[in-house]
Amino acid sequence: MDQSHWQALRAQAERLARAPLPVDAARASEFALRVGPLYASFARQRLDAEARDTLFAMARAADLPTALRALFDGEMVNTSERRAALHTALRGGLGQSAAAREARALALAAQARMDALHAMLEASDVTDIVSVGIGGSDLGPRLAVDALRDFHAGRFRVHFLTNVDGSDAQHLLRGLDPARTAGILVSKSFGTQETLLNGTLLRDWMGGAERLFAVSANIECAEAFGIPAARVLPMWDWVGGRYSLWSAVGFSVQLAIGRERFAQLLAGAALVDEHVLTAPTERNLAAWHALVGIWNRNGLGLASAAVLPYDQRLALLPAFLQQLVMESLGKSVRHDGSPVLADTVPVLWGGAGTNAQHSFFQALHQGTETVPADFLGVVRPAHAHGHHHDVLLANLLAQAEALGNGWPSDDAHKGYPGGRPSTLLLLDELNPHSLGALLALYEHSVYVQSVLWGINAFDQWGVELGKRIAGELLPALSDATMPAGDPVTRALLAEIRARR
């Protein structure tokens, strides 16, 4: 895709920059799509049919169907690490290549091993599970366990230990019985500093490794830690951490909600996989979501975006999407190492409504920066407090309308400028199937955006430098003779040592 497409996009944006957001009944249906339990309305985006067609032309130039087939078939889409990204094979068999079929077989074999270990734990005296991981090994499972709390099987209480801050471990473990606790260490390399540090603390607190399990590609290191191969579930280099919820990394989720409901989570994702792979761009929900993101970032030049779930069970969704979106799309060079032709990822942030209305919504409504938003709502609640839910949905709809339409006032302090774009995503209800569909939608939206920008959505070299420097600085925290850091860091080290 060449510069002419970006120029056409900017021309459309200039045409619409000061136009009011259109509101009419026809638009409400023309700018909406449904896939299974998901309904998406793009009617409050600063788009008209002409601008939308320009976006579709960009998608055709990028040959999205071919790019999606490459993803599902296990082609080397992760070019800097020379790997496939076959997370779709964890939840379905849509890949047509030998590599995709092999990945699917491995996924099914791993699921059988998860079921066997699940049965072993059910037959034990264990009541509590502590999952130890960080980043993609933590955010997805933590979100799913929290979001699906209404579907917990009740056999185990599942906890998460991620932060290297020792206070996190102290606060968690003080409420557990070491004799009735099992741990899962999740690390592909089994060399992640935070995971090993917390895993060692957990092992020592439990009095040994006999109730420790691992999810890792490095069986030898897990065995050296005291976890036999029979209790090590697999990870593969064709599944990135932030796309790994669907694999054995989700073992903690299965322990929380049970085997059948974990299968429903996978099935919801598989439903969206099939839609994304087969639907034409003009009716493809992931393509629409991605193209709207491109429009807001590159057409309108909006540098941040908000995720606003109006369901407390989805309170962790913004944190999960921060990693999925910003680690995947936070790139400034294309696959060949040349600079990108347009700005890439916005800063993603957010919070759950209605709480967030009483914190940062002031800036969304009257601040100088326009922040496009994804609002998320659930039609049918999992509780009997109907009036509460009506109030919640009324606030959801009202905030999207107020941001879009604004409100004039003779008093400048009380006027709302409006024109703030948003997408509204509705789930029929929040259950394992719909959560799987929602998360798969965001995964595919991220991939489509990466295709349009020509960047690699599956590496994360940007997180490595700080970790390397931290390893070099660690000895200097206790030994003043150790040379480390630049002059500013050395001064800070001295201050820390002096105050200990």
Side-chain angles (χ1 to χ4, degrees):
M1 195 164 59
D2 58 33
Q3 281 283 13
S4 64
H5 294 283
W6 298 108
Q7 291 167 355
L9 183 71
R10 287 189 284 270
Q12 291 291 342
E14 290 174 5
R15 179 178 65 82
L16 295 173
R18 285 167 293 279
L21 294 184
V23 179
D24 58 69
R27 178 181 175 86
S29 60
E30 291 170 5
F31 281 73
L33 291 172
R34 172 172 285 279
V35 176
L38 301 180
Y39 176 85
S41 172
F42 301 94
R44 296 195 189 279
Q45 292 291 341
R46 189 178 292 280
L47 276 171
D48 60 9
E50 184 180 337
R52 182 188 60 189
D53 290 345
T54 299
L55 289 168
F56 288 155
M58 294 180 71
R60 286 191 291 273
D63 194 4
L64 280 187
T66 297
L68 287 163
R69 175 50 70 185
L71 176 74
F72 280 78
D73 283 352
E75 294 185 20
M76 193 181 66
V77 293
N78 181 351
T79 50
S80 72
E81 297 179 294
R82 303 188 63 79
R83 294 173 179 171
L86 270 167
H87 47 279
T88 55
L90 299 169
R91 57 220 193 193
L94 294 170
Q96 297 175 345
S97 68
R101 290 194 295 270
E102 180 184 3
R104 181 62 181 156
L106 290 170
L108 291 172
Q111 183 62 62
R113 290 194 59 209
M114 288 169 63
D115 291 347
L117 292 178
H118 189 164
M120 178 195 300
L121 280 165
E122 285 184 320
S124 74
D125 293 330
V126 168
T127 57
D128 291 87
I129 307 292
V130 177
S131 181
V132 182
I134 198 164
S137 298
D138 172 78
L139 289 165
R142 186 189 292 263
L143 164 65
V145 168
D146 193 54
L148 300 176
R149 68 188 78 162
D150 294 309
F151 300 91
H152 285 195
R155 174 62 181 82
F156 304 107
R157 296 186 302 171
V158 177
H159 317 272
F160 293 89
L161 180 58
T162 180
N163 201 316
V164 74
D165 186 344
S167 63
D168 194 21
Q170 177 175 299
H171 295 155
L172 171 62
L173 298 181
R174 67 171 45 150
L176 303 180
D177 178 355
R180 298 173 69 85
T181 299
I184 308 169
L185 275 60
V186 186
S187 171
K188 182 182 290 187
S189 65
F190 216 83
T192 307
Q193 182 189 50
E194 297 93 336
T195 302
L196 290 182
L197 197 63
N198 281 326
T200 300
L201 186 154
L202 181 64
R203 181 188 61 188
D204 294 346
W205 174 80
M206 291 169 57
E210 59 269 18
R211 291 185 306 283
L212 282 183
F213 299 77
V215 182
S216 181
N218 193 334
I219 295 176
E220 289 184 1
C221 282
E223 288 184 314
F225 194 83
I227 306 173
R231 297 205 305 269
V232 181
L233 291 164
M235 296 179 76
W236 308 280
D237 64 7
W238 39 266
V239 179
R242 56 195 177 274
Y243 300 91
S244 65
L245 166 67
W246 325 100
S247 71
V249 171
F251 188 38
S252 57
V253 184
Q254 177 170 316
L255 292 174
I257 65 176
R259 299 172 187 81
E260 291 185 6
R261 286 168 176 158
F262 187 73
Q264 292 166 10
L265 180 76
L266 301 182
L271 171 74
V272 171
D273 289 343
E274 183 174 16
H275 163 78
V276 168
L277 188 60
T278 59
T281 299
E282 293 78 8
R283 302 300 302 167
N284 191 311
L285 181 53
W288 270 67
H289 191 272
L291 290 168
V292 166
I294 294 285
W295 169 257
N296 284 327
R297 185 70 183 102
N298 301 125
L300 302 181
L302 305 178
S304 76
V307 177
L308 308 170
Y310 272 67
D311 193 299
Q312 191 61 33
R313 295 169 296 174
L314 292 173
L316 297 180
L317 182 64
F320 171 80
L321 291 178
Q322 280 177 335
Q323 187 199 25
L324 175 64
V325 175
M326 296 176 72
E327 195 165 271
S328 298
L329 300 179
K331 315 292 168 61
S332 57
V333 297
R334 296 188 290 181
H335 285 283
D336 62 4
S338 62
V340 293
L341 298 176
D343 289 328
T344 59
V345 68
V347 175
L348 196 73
W349 56 284
T354 60
N355 290 4
Q357 294 176 191
H358 298 270
S359 58
F360 54 77
F361 267 54
Q362 169 65 40
L364 296 183
H365 284 288
Q366 292 185 317
T368 58
E369 295 291 327
T370 295
V371 180
D374 274 9
F375 284 95
L376 294 99
V378 177
V379 176
R380 298 189 296 270
H383 58 75
H385 309 294
H387 184 62
H388 278 71
H389 198 63
D390 286 349
V391 171
L392 183 69
L393 290 177
N395 275 273
L396 164 69
L397 298 172
Q399 292 295 332
E401 181 175 322
L403 285 167
N405 297 346
W407 191 266
S409 175
D410 294 334
D411 184 342
H413 297 284
K414 298 179 181 179
Y416 290 73
R420 312 293 168 106
S422 66
T423 293
L424 202 148
L425 295 167
L426 284 175
L427 284 67
D428 292 341
E429 59 184 78
L430 180 55
N431 57 32
H433 189 261
S434 66
L435 181 66
L438 177 68
L439 299 185
L441 167 64
Y442 275 105
E443 285 181 352
H444 288 302
S445 175
V446 162
Y447 178 63
V448 171
Q449 290 175 75
S450 77
V451 170
L452 290 167
W453 283 322
I455 61 177
N456 183 357
F458 303 107
D459 63 8
Q460 57 278 333
W461 297 108
V463 305
E464 300 301 323
L465 177 60
K467 293 195 292 187
R468 178 171 62 78
I469 295 174
E472 296 169 356
L473 292 176
L474 182 59
L477 280 163
S478 55
D479 186 350
T481 66
M482 295 293 295
D486 63 17
V488 174
T489 300
R490 289 194 289 273
L492 293 168
L493 284 166
E495 181 66 20
I496 291 170
R497 289 192 298 262
R499 304 295 292 180
R500 282 185 158 180

